[in-house]
């Protein structure tokens, strides 16, 4: 495997998944507090109340990053620590936490990549219709303004949103994520998607103004679609799935419009799209962040309401999330995004796998399958770079085992094993492998 000398090697986390300390130093409630405390929403009723206790252990956790030999760290900022009710007056204690973290990272020679929104909307904003309200874009821009003024002298890499697809569909149609809306029509998810585009555009404008020279991007979860057979019905179904999952998010930010085949599919459910909206969303970006975990194999299914497709599970290896291990999908995806959208730079902002881990008596975790997953996906990255993709870095998901949303603590993605009974961290074999590659 070949990587350029200036390749960015990183690990990623998100605030609600690791921080804990949910009532400390003036943090306001977020929709994930509300959701995880609602019976039946998360496995075993798990919550992020304590999580990895990173809010208190951040210094040690920087030490963990150093031991991984990474030169970058992607974390997210909890909006409700900065603005406890989402808008109005900032909370200095909340800002201080991230300020100290950033100083510590820089001292350790680790470049911070800050994500503004990784799903923990302030509850007060939710009470005012959350992502369903068009003017949430102004609130998001205000938050971006406050935090970029506070950290922008030291944080030079910014990400607006993590995975708008998940925010829209898991949160506002399937009900699996906060705020837990279930709907039988896609109208709400499409409204949310549109408002996320507006919020993204407004935040980029603010960041550009406040931070000349900073690198600004966004993060999409892309899922390459493969037809189950070469029958035209299956190929068309795969195209619809691709429109639903990938193009609905790529086209507005890179081309300034929604894909025409999909606006036709969604015709009766579309939100109001005002003139100029998608010009606002299509702002030049310095990079696109891609989160890649698996692929989708799609067949036509006329009985299936909505887009008329079904996902099939081919023979193969599946992770503890029941996601197929398919590194070729990462290569194909990188080539395709480069060809069709040509982002200036690309980062893999998340990639990793969950497996059932066992901690030995001597404090080791022999997670061969996670190591193999990492190796095969890094190999796909290296091939894409050789073929001309401007891939500038790779962030492993995740630094630590953590609160995996609706799955609670049952799914372990970390390069470090966390014993949640006592918060001890142990470097897994996959982490040792990653440290060797990152440290070369
Ligand atoms: C992504 C999320 C991340 C983590 C991984 C497994 O969708 O961005 O927080 O949960 O999946």
């Amino acid at each position: 495997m070949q990587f350029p000398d200036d390749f960015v090697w990183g690990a990623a986390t998100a605030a609600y998944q690791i921080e804990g300390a949910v009532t400390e130093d003036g943090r306001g409630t977020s929709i994930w507090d509300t959701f995880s405390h609602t019976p039946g929403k998360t496995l075993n009723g798990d919550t992020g109340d304590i999580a990895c206790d990173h809010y208190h252990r951040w210094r040690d956790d920087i030490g963990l990053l150093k031991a991984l030999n990474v030169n970058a760290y992607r974390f997210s900022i909890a909006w409700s620590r900065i603005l406890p009710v989402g808008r109005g007056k900032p909370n200095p204690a909340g800002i201080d936490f991230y300020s100290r973290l950033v100083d510590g990272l820089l001292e350790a020679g680790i470049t911070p990549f800050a994500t503004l929104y990784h799903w923990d909307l302030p509850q007060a904003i939710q009470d005012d219709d959350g992502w369903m309200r068009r003017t949430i874009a102004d609130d998001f821009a205000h938050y971006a303004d406050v935090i970029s003024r506070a950290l922008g002298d030291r944080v030079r890499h910014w990400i607006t949103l993590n995975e708008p697809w998940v925010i829209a569909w898991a949160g506002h149609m399937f009900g699996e994520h906060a705020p837990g809306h279930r709907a039988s029509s896609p109208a709400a998810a499409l409204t949310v998607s549109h408002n996320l585009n507006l919020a993204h555009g407004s935040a980029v404008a603010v960041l550009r103004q406040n931070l000349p020279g900073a690198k600004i991007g966004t993060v999409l979860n892309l899922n390459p679609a493969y037809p189950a057979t070469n029958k035209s019905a299956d190929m068309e179904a795969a195209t619809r799935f691709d429109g639903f999952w990938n193009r609905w998010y790529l086209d507005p930010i890179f081309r300034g419009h929604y894909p025409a085949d999909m606006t036709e599919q969604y015709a009766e459910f579309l939100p109001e799209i005002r003139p100029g909206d998608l010009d606002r969303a299509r702002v030049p970006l310095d990079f696109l962040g891609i989160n890649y975990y698996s692929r989708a194999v799609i067949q036509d299914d006329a009985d299936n309401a909505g887009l008329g497709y079904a996902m099939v599970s081919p023979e193969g290896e599946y992770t503890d999330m029941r996601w197929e291990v398919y590194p070729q999908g990462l290569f194909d995806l990188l080539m395709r995004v480069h060809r069709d959208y040509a982002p200036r730079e690309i980062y893999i902002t998340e990639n990793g796998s969950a497996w059932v881990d066992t901690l030995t008596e001597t404090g080791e975790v022999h997670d061969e399958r996670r190591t193999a997953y990492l190796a095969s996906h890094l190999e796909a990255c290296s091939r894409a770079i050789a073929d001309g993709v401007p891939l500038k870095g790779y962030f492993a998901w995740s630094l630590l085992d953590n609160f995996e949303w609706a799955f609670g603590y049952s799914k372990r993605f970390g390069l470090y094993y966390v014993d949640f009974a006592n918060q001890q961290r142990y470097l897994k074999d996959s982490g040792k492998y990653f440290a060797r590659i990152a440290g070369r």
Side-chain angles (χ1 to χ4, degrees):
M1 286 194 282
Q2 296 268 336
F3 290 94
D5 288 343
D6 60 354
F7 198 70
V8 171
W9 293 101
T13 62
Y16 189 72
Q17 294 182 274
I18 64 164
E19 286 180 359
V22 291
T23 56
E24 254 167 85
D25 293 338
R27 175 186 179 279
T29 304
S30 87
I31 57 174
W32 267 96
D33 298 309
T34 311
F35 187 77
S36 66
H37 280 270
T38 306
K41 298 298 185 191
T42 65
L43 198 66
N44 305 317
D46 286 347
T47 73
D49 287 2
I50 298 171
C52 304
D53 195 33
H54 169 77
Y55 194 78
H56 300 118
R57 294 168 195 265
W58 60 273
R59 255 180 224 289
D60 296 341
D61 291 344
I62 291 177
L64 303 185
L65 286 162
K66 277 178 87 167
L68 279 180
N69 291 327
V70 295
N71 54 27
Y73 175 50
R74 174 179 175 234
F75 62 98
S76 83
I77 295 165
W79 185 343
S80 74
R81 287 198 195 279
I82 309 307
L83 296 155
V85 293
R87 28 191 178 203
K89 273 203 11 215
N91 168 33
I95 293 176
D96 282 351
F97 169 69
Y98 296 104
S99 192
R100 286 192 298 270
L101 174 68
V102 164
D103 287 342
L105 289 167
L106 293 175
E107 256 164 56
I110 297 170
T111 303
F113 279 61
T115 305
L116 290 179
Y117 187 72
H118 201 126
W119 307 352
D120 42 359
L121 190 71
Q123 182 61 43
I125 299 272
Q126 183 61 42
D127 296 342
D128 197 8
D129 285 344
W131 289 107
M132 292 294 291
R133 175 173 52 86
R134 193 181 152 90
T135 53
I136 191 174
D138 303 333
D139 299 325
F140 190 59
H142 172 61
Y143 161 51
D145 182 46
V146 169
I147 195 65
S148 61
R149 281 173 199 277
L151 304 181
D153 55 337
R154 289 155 292 152
V155 177
R156 307 302 292 162
H157 293 82
W158 294 84
I159 290 161
T160 54
L161 299 170
N162 182 70
E163 304 190 347
W165 185 96
V166 175
I167 301 167
W169 297 92
H172 299 83
M173 177 147 177
F174 310 134
E176 292 155 2
H177 279 191
H181 289 168
R182 275 179 219 280
S184 52
S185 115
L190 294 170
T191 299
V192 167
S193 297
H194 191 63
N195 292 337
L196 285 162
N197 281 325
L198 300 177
H200 162 73
S202 302
V204 173
V206 166
L207 294 172
R208 287 270 180 239
Q209 196 171 7
N210 290 354
L211 311 174
K215 299 277 194 188
I216 300 169
T218 193
V219 166
L220 302 179
N221 55 308
L222 300 178
N223 198 350
Y226 297 79
T229 72
N230 55 15
K231 285 192 216 131
S232 63
D234 289 341
M235 291 178 27
E236 284 161 23
T239 301
R240 292 195 298 278
F241 178 90
D242 181 58
F244 160 60
W245 200 297
N246 303 315
R247 289 180 287 120
W248 195 257
Y249 297 91
L250 285 160
D251 283 19
I253 60 175
F254 287 104
R255 298 181 173 163
H257 56 74
Y258 289 112
D261 59 328
M262 297 310 294
T263 51
E264 214 172 284
Q265 292 282 341
Y266 293 142
E268 49 185 315
F269 307 113
L270 288 176
E272 184 198 356
I273 299 168
R274 297 190 194 161
D277 277 4
L278 293 183
D279 293 330
R280 196 161 134 197
R282 185 198 40 190
V283 278
L285 296 178
D286 299 301
F287 65 90
L288 174 69
I290 296 177
N291 294 351
Y292 175 82
Y293 290 93
S294 189
R295 66 161 170 176
V297 180
I298 300 296
Q299 70 184 22
D300 181 55
D301 181 356
D303 296 340
N304 214 321
L307 298 177
Y309 72 83
M311 274 173 102
V312 300
S313 300
E315 288 276 301
E317 192 185 11
Y318 286 79
T319 71
D320 196 31
M321 298 296 281
R322 313 273 173 271
W323 296 343
E324 186 194 1
V325 178
Y326 195 69
Q328 179 65 26
L330 177 53
F331 175 81
D332 294 345
L333 174 67
L334 284 167
M335 297 304 288
R336 184 264 180 117
V337 168
H338 173 53
R339 184 191 65 220
D340 291 355
Y341 298 95
R344 281 182 203 162
E345 297 187 338
I346 300 177
Y347 288 89
I348 297 302
T349 35
E350 288 181 25
N351 175 242
S353 56
W355 304 97
V356 177
D357 290 325
T358 327
L359 184 66
T360 67
E361 272 175 20
T362 49
E364 299 186 309
V365 180
H366 303 306
D367 56 339
E368 296 88 0
R369 287 180 300 181
R370 189 178 287 99
T371 304
Y373 182 100
L374 260 172
S376 60
H377 287 76
L378 287 173
E379 195 269 335
C381 290
S382 145
R383 275 198 289 138
I385 294 170
D387 283 359
V389 175
L391 178 66
K392 300 298 176 188
Y394 174 98
F395 291 82
W397 184 270
S398 179
L399 174 63
L400 301 163
D401 293 338
N402 59 45
F403 176 77
E404 180 47 37
W405 309 111
F407 294 95
Y409 297 98
S410 71
K411 304 292 179 204
R412 294 179 177 271
F413 276 93
L415 297 177
Y416 284 90
Y417 182 95
V418 177
D419 181 343
F420 290 101
N422 57 21
Q423 291 294 341
Q424 292 304 304
R425 281 90 155 118
Y426 302 88
L427 185 59
K428 301 180 191 176
D429 286 357
S430 59
K432 295 179 190 168
Y433 165 79
F434 193 63
R436 277 203 303 280
I437 305 240
R440 282 210 297 229

